[in-house]
Amino acid sequence: MALKDYNVDRVKQHISILDKYEYGGSVFVDRRRSRPRWFDGRFLKAADLNRESGYFLTRQSDLAVATGTGVVEGLMVKQKDSTRITIAQGHGMTFDGERVFLPNDVDISLHNIALAEELNVKMGLSRKPAPPDRSRSGIYVIALRPLEFTANPTASYPVDVDGKRQMRDGSIIEATAITLVPFSYPAGASRSSEARRAEVAHQLFTQTTEYRIPSTTLPLAMIEMRRGNLLWLDNHMVRRDMGAVHSDVLGFGFTPRPIRSAHFKQYNTMIQDIVDQRQGTDAGLRFSATEYFRSLPSAGRLPAASVDLSTLTQYYFPDVMDVEMSIIPADEMGLLIEESLLLPPIRLDDETAMENTSVMVLLPVPRHVFYSETKAIKKRPDTIRFPIKSARSQFTPRDYLSLFQSKLPDFKTPKVKDEETLRQGAWQRLLSTETFVWFVRRRHVSYKDEITGTAVHVMTNEHKDETEMRRYQRTLGLYDEFTTLKIRGSAAADLEMVRLLTIPKFTKSEVMMRSALKEFNDTDKLDERHAASVSVRFAGKDVGKGLDKLDERIFKGTDDEKTEQRKKLAETLRAPELDDLAQKLETNEAEILADDLHTRLTGPDTPEEIAAFILSKKEELESGRIEEPE
């Protein structure tokens, strides 16, 4: 890269010309940036050098503010106990363009952090007294503030004949101070600390006027104290990551992006704190958002227990809001959240706004699970409602007819279809292991969900894949069993079986091929639903790696003896569970399990007894205890 010569020797004009154009209004003078002009024969004075350094410091600050202010890296605050906090190392830029820096993690007591007014008093900048350290109560902002100190006394020579030598500090040392800035929350705020936290978040993230912290400080976190003890700590309430802060998006008056991002992070931290608190008190995770929040970001998490799938109702959002639920591939969740951040927050204190708000509740799942489960859930969202109607009635005439149909003998109650039961069962299965699900605010712009254009099927060499699968099945003597399954099953089930068994890992592993065929056969009716459930168990990209790792340890003897052992393991219908165990166990524990399993496969144990043994070992692993065999 060639170095470019910049024209730094600017043309200087005489002050008389400047006065002429400044008076006419076409020239503006920056009074902050004035530096001495050096030439031969001029005396060098300390004031001139100080003005020179002040000029460059001012210019450096202007450039820093232009690139953005906020936290550059690190500086996360964590609570250690009721009176101590830890601030991670890092650095950032204040709103005045000054750099603040912590070279190491700082463990400090809240009683040792000076208030901003107290620091000013000690530095001689103010006479306002500060409250005693151990009686502080209220909401404060933990911030970093740049300071300068003078040190290293140096002898100065006299500047005139009668002058005397003096001792003056000859160095300026930069430092960073940790300080507390009082935050004035709205008058008449709730007595509950969590309610005050929610009100402050509502004020900062939804009001048009943002809280202005002193420009000489860099805010890191917000805390509330009562008589010197910490009640709560919130990093994202006032923390802003470094970046160019735009006033809005394309001039439409939206909230600046850093504030929307901070609201999203602050809410997710607070909802986690609420869930942890309720789990510790056995209060249950089914609660309404209005119990803890006055506003919500346009995307975030909510407890999965707030959705009742037996009645398709939800308890988290107010009843006047339109709420739907669906599943989504996990790798697409980030895109939806990114798009939703362009939308305004969800206000919970304005009923008119809530009536015109639509929310989608989403459950992220792996893509292969999404493919199989959408067949049972039918891909379209389920509308979920609030269980209690506290607003005006929204019943339609059809609802009233349904309500009083017991008095009208001509009407018959429609029976619930088996399809609906299957859909609810799929939701129950997906949500059973989840603590949180996600919500995003939906747009009101009407758009078509179908893709514009022509769908192009991605072609593969399916003839070669199926030929390889059949060849391998003939080698194992399984082709007749596969043909019987094709005759028994529906066309959709046949497609699902072929799609799974042509995956290369099935044509390379006898255990995987035998186990999958046994599970396809383990049903009275081989339909698409059963075939899809088998695919979910075997289609994961890591399924089979654990069995490959222990293959030589489990199956021993002659080729015929190994084949009989693999047949017996396939009949247990627990090959995926064994594979998961083999991947999660340590090497020595996995070898002990393999030796024990080999003994059972070659002994009198039935497949059912071996299946129970595998499940018991899996339960021991999940509970944190693996016992060695007797």
Side-chain angles (χ1 to χ4, degrees):
M1 177 180 177
L3 297 178
K4 181 179 180 181
D5 293 330
Y6 295 96
N7 182 18
V8 296
D9 188 14
R10 304 173 186 172
V11 178
K12 279 88 175 171
Q13 304 293 338
H14 193 265
I15 189 65
S16 60
I17 299 178
L18 175 63
D19 292 339
K20 174 182 176 182
Y21 287 102
E22 185 180 12
Y23 179 78
S26 59
V27 174
F28 299 90
V29 178
D30 188 351
R31 303 292 180 185
R32 304 169 306 146
R33 303 202 305 197
S34 172
R35 69 183 189 274
R37 183 187 180 199
W38 303 107
F39 51 87
D40 294 339
R42 175 173 176 173
F43 284 103
L44 176 61
K45 297 190 299 184
D48 294 331
L49 282 178
N50 290 334
R51 189 153 57 96
E52 178 94 358
S53 62
Y55 167 81
F56 285 105
L57 289 174
T58 302
R59 189 167 185 177
Q60 182 181 4
S61 298
D62 289 343
L63 291 174
V65 172
T67 57
T69 60
V71 177
V72 178
E73 182 183 11
L75 302 179
M76 292 297 293
V77 184
K78 294 183 180 180
Q79 179 179 353
K80 193 170 184 181
D81 54 41
S82 61
T83 59
R84 301 189 69 85
I85 60 172
T86 300
I87 305 178
Q89 65 177 2
H91 60 103
M93 303 294 293
T94 69
F95 298 110
D96 280 346
E98 295 286 342
R99 180 174 179 264
V100 289
F101 174 66
L102 292 181
N104 302 300
D105 294 350
V106 177
D107 183 358
I108 188 171
S109 171
L110 292 172
H111 302 151
N112 295 334
I113 301 179
L115 286 176
E117 294 89 348
E118 182 182 351
L119 194 61
N120 290 337
V121 170
K122 292 181 179 180
M123 297 179 63
L125 303 177
S126 173
R127 295 183 179 179
K128 182 179 178 181
D133 294 341
R134 299 183 182 277
S135 64
R136 292 174 184 165
S137 296
I139 298 179
Y140 298 89
V141 175
I142 300 176
L144 299 183
R145 175 178 177 176
L147 298 177
E148 288 186 349
F149 298 93
T150 60
N152 300 330
T154 304
S156 65
Y157 290 91
V159 296
D160 53 38
V161 177
D162 299 329
K164 297 180 180 180
R165 295 188 65 179
Q166 299 177 354
M167 298 294 293
R168 295 187 178 183
D169 291 340
S171 300
I172 298 177
I173 301 174
E174 294 186 352
T176 299
I178 304 173
T179 182
L180 293 177
V181 181
F183 179 87
S184 10
Y185 46 89
S190 173
R191 295 183 179 180
S192 166
S193 61
E194 291 297 335
R196 283 193 297 272
R197 184 179 178 183
E199 289 177 1
V200 171
H202 177 72
Q203 175 187 355
L204 292 178
F205 297 123
T206 63
Q207 304 296 331
T208 55
T209 57
E210 184 185 2
Y211 168 66
R212 299 293 181 182
I213 197 168
S215 59
T216 56
T217 59
L218 175 66
L220 301 182
M222 180 174 285
I223 63 173
E224 182 176 2
M225 291 192 296
R226 179 178 299 169
R227 296 183 181 89
N229 292 320
L230 187 62
L231 297 181
W232 54 263
L233 183 150
D234 198 313
N235 272 284
H236 302 289
M237 195 81 79
V238 290
R239 174 192 174 99
R240 303 292 181 264
D241 294 332
M242 186 176 181
V245 181
H246 303 288
S247 59
D248 55 21
V249 179
L250 300 178
F252 286 98
F254 296 145
T255 306
R257 171 57 188 268
I259 297 181
R260 298 197 306 271
S261 177
H263 192 190
F264 171 80
K265 296 176 182 178
Q266 186 274 334
Y267 166 79
N268 281 291
T269 302
M270 188 170 176
I271 192 66
Q272 183 67 60
D273 292 344
I274 293 171
V275 168
D276 293 342
Q277 177 186 0
R278 294 179 69 94
Q279 286 178 335
T281 58
D282 297 328
L285 299 183
R286 179 171 292 180
F287 58 90
S288 172
T290 54
E291 295 181 35
Y292 294 95
F293 302 97
R294 290 188 58 191
S295 60
L296 303 175
S298 53
R301 298 182 299 170
L302 72 150
S306 298
V307 179
D308 185 357
L309 295 175
S310 60
T311 57
L312 281 182
T313 56
Q314 59 88 23
Y315 297 80
Y316 195 71
F317 296 100
D319 59 329
V320 296
M321 293 176 58
D322 181 22
V323 183
E324 294 186 348
M325 181 172 62
S326 183
I327 63 174
I328 184 175
D331 52 10
E332 296 182 10
M333 194 66 213
L335 177 62
L336 277 182
I337 294 177
E338 187 71 23
E339 290 181 348
S340 68
L341 290 181
L342 294 174
L343 300 176
I346 301 172
R347 297 181 64 105
L348 301 179
D349 58 348
D350 188 343
E351 185 172 349
T352 303
M354 289 189 293
E355 289 179 352
N356 296 283
T357 300
S358 297
V359 174
M360 176 71 77
V361 177
L362 298 169
L363 174 62
V365 296
R367 185 167 288 275
H368 69 277
V369 176
F370 173 80
Y371 170 77
S372 59
E373 294 295 344
T374 46
K375 297 178 180 179
I377 301 177
K378 301 300 182 184
K379 294 185 181 180
R380 61 186 179 89
D382 281 331
T383 301
I384 51 181
R385 305 183 181 279
F386 196 83
I388 302 175
K389 293 287 180 180
S390 58
R392 64 178 182 274
S393 175
Q394 298 181 354
F395 274 56
T396 63
R398 183 184 297 274
D399 296 327
Y400 283 111
L401 287 176
S402 300
L403 182 64
F404 295 105
Q405 61 185 348
S406 58
K407 299 181 180 180
L408 302 174
D410 295 335
F411 289 91
K412 295 183 178 179
T413 304
K415 297 182 179 179
V416 179
K417 297 181 179 180
D418 292 339
E419 177 182 332
E420 186 67 24
T421 303
L422 294 177
R423 292 175 60 191
Q424 292 187 8
W427 279 118
Q428 295 281 8
R429 183 172 62 256
L430 289 172
L431 284 176
S432 59
T433 59
E434 299 294 331
T435 304
F436 290 100
V437 292
W438 289 83
F439 71 86
V440 295
R441 181 168 184 166
R442 302 183 67 182
R443 296 177 292 174
H444 286 287
V445 178
S446 178
Y447 64 95
K448 294 182 178 180
D449 57 356
E450 64 266 15
I451 299 175
T452 302
T454 303
V456 179
H457 182 64
V458 179
M459 306 299 292
T460 60
N461 195 345
E462 68 274 7
H463 184 269
K464 178 181 177 181
D465 294 339
E466 291 187 33
T467 301
E468 178 66 20
M469 177 195 67
R470 293 190 182 95
R471 183 198 62 77
Y472 187 67
Q473 289 174 344
R474 288 191 178 95
T475 302
L476 301 178
L478 298 175
Y479 184 69
D480 292 341
E481 182 178 347
F482 175 70
T483 304
T484 303
L485 290 174
K486 289 173 66 70
I487 297 173
R488 284 184 53 207
S490 62
D494 181 19
L495 177 63
E496 191 71 36
M497 284 194 302
V498 173
R499 182 179 293 160
L500 177 69
L501 297 178
T502 52
I503 298 176
K505 64 183 177 183
F506 288 92
T507 57
K508 297 177 181 179
S509 173
E510 179 181 349
V511 176
M512 292 289 289
M513 179 64 76
R514 289 186 182 277
S515 300
L517 289 176
K518 284 296 181 183
E519 295 209 17
F520 279 125
N521 190 50
D522 186 39
T523 181
D524 296 332
K525 181 181 179 183
L526 182 53
D527 53 8
E528 182 184 15
R529 179 173 177 271
H530 177 73
S533 66
V534 176
S535 295
V536 171
R537 287 171 52 79
F538 285 89
K541 64 178 181 179
D542 294 329
V543 177
K545 294 181 179 180
L547 292 172
D548 291 341
K549 183 173 69 172
L550 299 181
D551 186 84
E552 295 182 358
R553 192 103 182 182
I554 297 177
F555 310 111
K556 303 176 183 178
T558 64
D559 291 343
D560 293 339
E561 290 174 343
K562 291 180 181 180
T563 300
E564 292 301 321
Q565 294 168 22
R566 293 187 177 102
K567 287 181 180 180
K568 195 171 184 179
L569 178 61
E571 291 174 357
T572 65
L573 306 179
R574 289 293 177 262
E577 286 79 5
L578 178 60
D579 177 81
D580 185 57
L581 264 175
Q583 294 186 49
K584 292 180 179 179
L585 290 176
E586 299 293 338
T587 302
N588 59 334
E589 295 176 337
E591 291 176 352
I592 294 174
L593 174 65
D595 293 339
D596 194 4
L597 191 61
H598 172 74
T599 303
R600 293 175 182 272
L601 289 174
T602 56
D605 291 18
T606 64
E608 292 76 14
E609 292 173 339
I610 298 176
F613 167 74
I614 295 174
L615 291 178
S616 66
K617 289 297 181 181
K618 186 173 178 62
E619 292 176 357
E620 291 177 9
L621 177 64
E622 293 173 350
S623 63
R625 55 183 181 86
I626 287 290
E627 300 176 356
E628 296 187 3
E630 297 179 359

